[in-house]
């Protein structure tokens, strides 16, 4: 059941949905942690993930 049907979304659509949701939460977390980081090295490390994502 990879394709969507009129009564239900397929596995690909559901997977894309949840992967996007996880990425958004990770971006929120890394952005807020980078904004509150006191150490420049920690902030740079967080931003190395946050900016390309």
């Amino acid at each position: 059941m990879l394709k969507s049907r009129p009564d239900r979304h397929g596995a690909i659509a559901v997977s894309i949905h949840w992967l996007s949701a996880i990425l958004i939460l990770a971006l929120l977390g890394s952005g807020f942690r980078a904004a509150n980081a006191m150490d420049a090295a920690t902030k740079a490390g967080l931003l190395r993930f946050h900016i390309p994502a």
Side-chain angles (χ1 to χ4, degrees):
M1 175 160 36
L2 293 176
K3 291 186 176 183
S4 296
R5 297 186 317 204
D7 62 332
R8 186 171 172 154
H9 295 291
I12 293 173
V14 172
S15 298
I16 290 171
H17 169 81
W18 285 111
L19 289 172
S20 298
I22 291 168
L23 181 62
I24 289 169
L25 291 175
L27 287 171
L28 280 169
S30 65
F32 281 121
R33 287 192 65 183
N36 294 327
M38 296 294 181
D39 183 30
T42 303
K43 188 172 191 169
L46 289 166
L47 289 177
R48 277 192 206 107
F49 163 77
H50 181 84
I51 291 170

